[in-house]
Amino acid sequence: MKKLVQVLTLMVFRHTASWCLLMGVTILASAHAAAAPASSGQSITKPAFEQLSQLKRTLFTVKDGLPSTIYAITEDREGYLWLGGPTGLFRFDGLNFEPMFKEQLPAEIITSLYGDRDGNLWIGGLHGNVTRVHEGVTEQVGRGLSKGTIMSFKQMTDGTLWVVTSSGVYRFVDGAWHRADHSDGIDVKFVWVTGTGVDGSYWIFAPDGAYRLRPGAKRFELTSANQGIVAMANLPATAAYPSGGVTADLIVDRQGALWIPTNGKLTRLHTDNMSGQAQLVAENVMGVDNHSDIQVTADFSDSQGNVWVATPDGLEQFRTTRFVPLVLPLPVFWPAITEDNTQALWVASASATPPIRVGTNVSVHPDLSGSSPCIANGPDGSVWFNGDKGIQRYIHDQVITIPAPPATGQQASLANPKQDCVDMRLAPDGSLWVSMRFTGVTRWDGHVWSTIDPKAATSIQFDGTRAWLAFLSGNLTSIDQGKLSTYSSRSGPDLGSLRKLRLGKSGLWIAGDDGIAIRTADRFIHLVGMNGERFQNASGLLQLSNGDLWISSARGVYRASAADVQSALSAPDHSLRFTLFDRDDGVEDAKNLVVSDDGRLWVSMRQGVAWIDALQMPPAPQAAHVSIESINDHDVRFSGASVPALEKGTRSVTITYAAATLSDPAKSRFRFLLKGVDEDWQLASDRRAAHYANLGPGQYTFEVEASNADGAWAAQPTRFAFQILPEFYQTWWFKALCAAVVLAGLWLLHLMRIRHIHAQLDARTRERESMARDFHDTILQNFQSLLLHVQVAVQSIPEGAARQKLDKALSVTENALNEGRDKIGELRSLAEPMEDLSIDISHLANRLNEMYPTEFSMNVEGEPRPLNASAASDVHAIVGELITNAFRHSQASALHVELHYDRSELNITVIDDGRGADLSALPSENSGHWGLQGIRERTRRVGGRFTIGVAPSGKGTRANLKIPARFVYAGRRLFHR
């Protein structure tokens, strides 16, 4: 409580002079901006720039997270707003108030804040402590500074930093504060208030006057306090320093107006030059709920032109909007608007307010009809009204009243001219067309009314001699020189109830309950905007001479550029790009649109009129820079260049980000992308955070960027790199170890298979040796004994036919016995390597050549190598079977064998040019031949691969046998029993 009393005492005693407030200045300025006129032609000078009533005010309170009391406000280099007071330091990004550095700052009330161009945040306290914050690091910087409440900081264009305390002025040099003296042009013991002028000058008001430090100057200049007020904002000489109770800094807003907070008041001073002479205008800022008293504890004007004012009620923002509200002397309700030939705007209210003309001056015309729902202008400069005084024509300050269209039959008792008008237009021939609920569409030719259509039209539009009428039924009617054409919902625009027609550069524009369309080249084209926007319930539309399209609705006003309109008309499936101006831009419940020749677009709303320069629109502020706040609740705002590493096993990541969007936070959009995860940008929701699940370990880069109010994205996104540490089973060495184990297992299986194949071959060899011994010891011996007995018996038989027969049988038996011995020799020779595969092939081919007229050739490549005994017989048998089959069955004229002794394999190819192999008809084992099945079984047994198909020439057969070297060559065995 003691500290709070000290602060309030400081605020009250910033000026110790007598209590003469700002009353004289305020009364003088208020007399110039006095009350509205009460009679016809009385005018109000149109303001040269935006008045207080044209600024949008937004109040933030403790319900929004605002600290209860604020004594200091500043803006940092990134555009964030910083607030200080008894409860500490807070940062505001336009949406959220966040406490900052609570444990790192001295335990005292913050009385001053300043963000310099170098990215430092300077914090001053009630007891004279100064803290500098840079990249999240706090540092006490008080050397050379005497105790006294810190009032303000200021960095000049040369980089020099000044601080003003309640007892003096200091300059920061080489890490220490040096008190200003006479050599600096200022030596004060007490300071009232400080401020920055319109030219960037630093102003210090003290009991002896106002000290001014110009940009680039080395010394302060002394002038009077009144002259200081005048010079700060180039005000007329009648402006004066308030005599008492300045409670916060003097600030100059972007328009050059000076804000002066005094005890219970906040006054805005500016200059009005419209009359040709500079006159002082003073506007008093009313408190919350229009209370007259307002107690300012801090104020600030930021880089985007917003003015921030802290009071016990909260923090209030004053800002300009892109649509500028028109200040009218009387309230209006759902006004109709039009322009005359002098480009003056006429505003006709649906309430009892008489029409208002806004030109060089603003004038009220009570002699014209009030409650005018319809208004129209004529090519002769006339303006027509339909209100409580009937239909009136105003031209050259004269008013002519004509009778209302007659209503007949049952409608006569219901007709009310001042309430029934729906639309009113002047035709090119000068006739007046009026649409009323109970009389339909009628035409006044200057003498009598004639009925055009008994039904009321919602909108009337002329295109040369053709008149267009829109109806609630959805029908669109064309009347051209007496010829009437009607387009229904099937043949016409199909927009439900039609509301507005406007002729534009591209054609006839139509607005209805279900959207908008255009009639061009005798066809109707519906337009659909981005994200499925249908522009439903549009109440007005207007195409400018440059092709831009403007659409009004309850949501606000849409704008589509000429290029986007043309793209939409050229490709009906093209989504129309647009910008939406809504209440944050100063427009809502928009209805009628009117454009001036100079490009000023006027829009009427429920309770007023606003305008924008449609040809030279004020640009939206650039997209804000996005800063990364945290990742999985770990603060990374001040981590610098270090890459944060998340815990092992992390699967989900939440990244929060922020951007300084002080002017219009609701219009800023965000999109983000995680490289390697997202294929394209992801549009963010209202929550400024991105969440990812099912992430694995590794390096990641997160990108995020913001858009401005027009939807333009930042030139460069913000990039944030992080990594997820792996669990031991996610590391590369663990995966490599697992891979090595798997490979070792596969290699072991491979070796086991090789051993199995060799074991089979060894078993076959032993079996053949055993068969040879048994065959020799039994069958051959018995046959030999039998042969000897037969030979003895034959010798005992005399010569004759019988003996000849026995001799022949004996010869056959002896040949069979010799063949048996040969086979036994072959079986025994299998245990030894075979070296003459090519010779065996040649011998076989020569024998077959004697029986078949097939030309044989063979090519041997590589150094011939002996075959091991286990595989040789199968290889010989396979090749022999292939060659024999080719000679016997292919009917080929040529047969060629390729024998390749490669280091890695034995490759044998047999090619003929015969009729081609019928695989299904190849000899089988049951036929006494090996057949295809036998060849494949032998191939598997030796670990090889066999293929058969059509020869490369397309004629004949090609068979190929490949056997790995380790299985077929002698000396390559890996395992031995």
Side-chain angles (χ1 to χ4, degrees), residues 671-675 678-681 692 701-704:
R671 64 181 185 181
F672 53 81
L673 178 146
L674 186 60
K675 288 191 172 180
D678 294 323
E679 294 182 358
D680 200 358
W681 289 99
Y692 291 91
T701 299
F702 177 76
E703 295 185 355
V704 60

Side-chain angles (χ1 to χ4, degrees), residues 92-144:
F92 182 51
D93 63 0
L95 288 179
N96 303 307
F97 296 91
E98 183 178 7
M100 301 290 291
F101 310 116
K102 188 173 184 180
E103 305 298 329
Q104 300 167 254
L105 299 178
E108 67 175 333
I109 296 174
I110 296 175
T111 57
S112 181
L113 293 171
Y114 186 74
D116 67 18
R117 295 189 300 273
D118 303 319
N120 300 306
L121 178 66
W122 296 86
I123 306 170
L126 179 66
H127 302 305
N129 288 305
V130 173
T131 304
R132 178 173 58 188
V133 181
H134 185 76
E135 296 293 340
V137 178
T138 59
E139 177 188 5
Q140 300 301 312
V141 186
R143 186 159 60 95

Side-chain angles (χ1 to χ4, degrees), residues 540-599:
L541 30 67
L542 181 67
Q543 188 175 28
L544 306 185
S545 58
N546 66 355
D548 291 352
L549 178 65
W550 293 79
I551 307 166
S552 59
S553 72
R555 290 186 61 191
V557 177
Y558 301 87
R559 174 191 175 268
S561 69
D564 289 323
V565 171
Q566 185 58 42
S567 297
L569 296 182
S570 302
D573 58 344
H574 177 84
S575 295
L576 181 65
R577 293 175 54 86
F578 63 85
T579 300
L580 174 63
F581 301 88
D582 56 19
R583 62 182 304 172
D584 291 322
D585 300 296
V587 59
E588 59 180 329
D589 292 329
K591 189 175 182 181
N592 298 313
L593 298 171
V594 171
V595 64
S596 301
D597 292 341
D598 61 0

Side-chain angles (χ1 to χ4, degrees), residues 35 136 238 297 575 759 967:
T238 52
T297 58
S575 295
F967 294 150

Side-chain angles (χ1 to χ4, degrees), residues 278-291:
Q279 299 186 32
L280 184 66
V281 176
E283 299 175 287
N284 289 325
V285 180
M286 305 298 289
V288 178
D289 298 329
N290 290 324
H291 292 164

Side-chain angles (χ1 to χ4, degrees), residues 880-943:
E881 184 72 17
L882 292 173
I883 294 174
T884 301
N885 286 337
F887 271 100
R888 289 178 178 176
H889 306 293
S890 68
Q891 299 178 8
S893 61
L895 175 66
H896 180 73
V897 175
E898 289 282 345
L899 185 58
H900 296 271
Y901 289 92
D902 294 334
R903 295 187 60 184
S904 60
E905 65 181 5
L906 174 62
N907 190 342
I908 305 172
T909 303
V910 179
I911 303 175
D912 66 65
D913 60 356
R915 63 180 180 176
D918 184 357
L919 300 184
S920 63
L922 284 177
S924 65
E925 293 182 65
N926 295 333
S927 65
H929 300 273
W930 287 109
L932 184 61
Q933 183 64 27
I935 292 175
R936 285 174 172 163
E937 288 177 355
R938 287 180 180 274
T939 302
R940 286 195 296 270
R941 205 154 52 206
V942 297

Side-chain angles (χ1 to χ4, degrees), residues 509-525:
W509 292 94
I510 308 162
D513 289 352
D514 294 337
I516 65 172
I518 183 174
R519 184 182 184 275
T520 179
D522 294 330
R523 63 190 181 105
F524 294 92
I525 301 174

